[in-house]
Amino acid sequence: MPLDGAVLDRAAHRRAEPDLVRTLRTDPATRVVLVHRGRLALAGASPTDGVALLDPADLSDVGVAADEDQARWLFLGEGDGTTYVALVLPDDADAEEVDIEGVDASDPFAVLARERSWSGLRELVGGLDAPLAGLATEAVALAAWHANHTRCPRCGGRTTVENGGWTRRCVAQGVELYPRTDPAVIMTVVHGEGDDERLLLGHAAHWPERRFSTLAGYVEPGESLESAVRREVAEEAGVVVGEVAYRGSQPWPFPASLMLGFAARALTTDLRVDGVELTDARWFTRPGLAAAVGSGEVLLPGRASIARSLVEDWFGDRLPDP
Ligand SMILES: [Zn+2]
């Protein structure tokens, strides 16, 4: 699956090493990816140039090494003799006021935020090989957790970052907090056999015109994955699902989803879209889908998505891009 790239060793046993991040920041075998508001610093001007992997010395040159805020540094893992960390810039690093008031024109985070080109993960991933895609996904996902969980969910108090960025701890209560991932199910829904076999695709209200894709939805508390698949398909399209088989998963850190992919067999074919999440749904035979995609009548989701992988898994081949 795209974005997976489980090639990097996350080396979880190292996270508790004393002064881990501080040590890595002076190690020439370290490479640093920069994250700013969910985007990654690029090696060049365009996403096709890939993600910047900075030498710690590059950061010292702009003055970052003097910053001792451990909370901005996330230990990502190791591979091929290189250790990878992420540096998360403050959200307002590129704020105009920094210059206007002349307060911090030499703020290293402001310098980094402005001198680099940035890209979201989705625009990048098609051009990254597996280890880098996995690294980039891990960095963005972990940074998003920190950005959205600065306070303790129990008491609202301040938390501090520990374990190379893999835990936070409530200062008042001492409770350890772990990064969260929200499970979501995404599924092909198929009816019939042989030449009559058809795939259900839907069009969501907020999508571009002609975009059709698999149905999907979040798993609710106290619900199994199989039940979530059946509930979502019934709610959104009015179709009853029987057998549900797991096909694979994909992290989707926008900000914190894990997409769990299934192939579901439909027991009914009448469509009744809910009009809220889905505004259209259709059944496609394989030749029908190929023709609709070829003519541009149907726009499938991009190659960075598990939805595309699931559709092509059913289709049995790659489908053309627009
Ligand atoms: Zn607390």
Side-chain angles (χ1 to χ4, degrees):
M1 293 297 181
L3 296 180
D4 180 13
V7 179
L8 189 79
D9 178 1
R10 294 189 174 203
H13 62 280
R14 295 198 58 190
R15 291 173 188 168
E17 285 180 20
D19 286 328
L20 170 65
V21 166
R22 195 170 285 130
T23 306
L24 293 176
R25 282 164 55 186
T26 57
D27 184 347
T30 298
R31 287 296 173 270
V32 183
V33 297
L34 301 178
V35 183
H36 184 217
R37 293 200 302 243
R39 298 168 304 160
L40 291 147
L42 301 177
S46 147
T48 55
D49 297 320
V51 174
L53 293 174
L54 301 178
D55 191 307
D58 299 339
L59 297 168
S60 303
D61 288 348
V62 294
V64 172
D67 171 71
E68 290 302 328
D69 184 359
Q70 296 293 294
R72 301 207 166 280
W73 295 84
L74 313 175
F75 173 65
L76 300 177
E78 310 170 324
D80 289 334
T82 304
T83 308
Y84 296 95
V85 298
L87 171 60
V88 184
L89 304 190
D91 277 0
D92 62 354
D94 58 353
E96 292 299 327
E97 304 87 75
V98 174
D99 266 355
I100 291 169
E101 297 179 7
V103 179
D104 245 342
S106 61
D107 174 1
F109 294 137
V111 172
L112 285 170
R114 290 174 186 191
E115 78 179 5
R116 290 276 159 188
S117 296
W118 301 82
S119 170
L121 202 50
R122 273 173 280 207
E123 296 72 45
L124 262 169
V125 160
L128 298 182
D129 56 11
L132 262 185
L135 185 77
T137 307
E138 181 186 354
V140 167
L142 191 55
W145 175 65
H146 286 287
N148 295 322
H149 294 81
T150 54
R151 295 258 159 194
C152 172
R154 296 193 195 184
C155 71
R158 198 168 65 82
T159 58
T160 55
V161 176
E162 297 181 351
N163 286 310
W166 287 92
T167 56
R168 300 183 76 102
R169 191 180 294 278
C170 170
V171 174
Q173 299 177 313
V175 181
E176 204 168 27
L177 306 166
Y178 294 90
R180 303 299 307 267
T181 296
D182 301 327
V185 290
I186 183 165
M187 48 275 170
T188 51
V189 178
V190 174
H191 187 271
E193 303 288 337
D195 289 348
D196 292 332
E197 192 173 89
R198 291 182 298 166
L199 172 71
L200 175 65
L201 295 178
H203 173 80
H206 61 280
W207 287 349
E209 222 179 319
R210 295 180 287 146
R211 161 66 49 80
F212 277 80
S213 186
T214 51
L215 309 194
Y218 283 104
V219 181
E220 295 187 342
E223 186 176 49
S224 72
L225 300 174
E226 294 84 350
S227 295
V229 169
R230 296 190 180 101
R231 176 182 53 75
E232 285 289 344
V233 177
E235 282 177 3
E236 294 187 3
V239 169
V240 178
V241 158
E243 187 190 331
V244 172
Y246 177 68
R247 297 299 297 152
S249 66
Q250 179 191 46
W252 196 244
F254 308 108
S257 299
L258 174 65
M259 307 301 292
L260 298 142
F262 292 87
R265 297 296 303 187
L267 301 176
T268 64
T269 57
D270 284 350
L271 298 175
R272 195 184 59 251
V273 296
D274 64 6
V276 179
E277 299 210 35
L278 286 194
T279 50
D280 194 6
R282 297 184 206 167
W283 292 102
F284 294 89
T285 61
R286 286 186 180 83
L289 181 62
V293 171
S295 70
E297 178 194 338
V298 161
L299 300 177
L300 291 178
R303 299 212 167 271
S305 67
I306 188 174
R308 179 64 169 251
S309 299
L310 288 170
V311 169
E312 292 184 344
D313 177 44
W314 169 78
F315 185 74
D317 201 352
R318 281 168 77 97
L319 283 153
D321 289 308

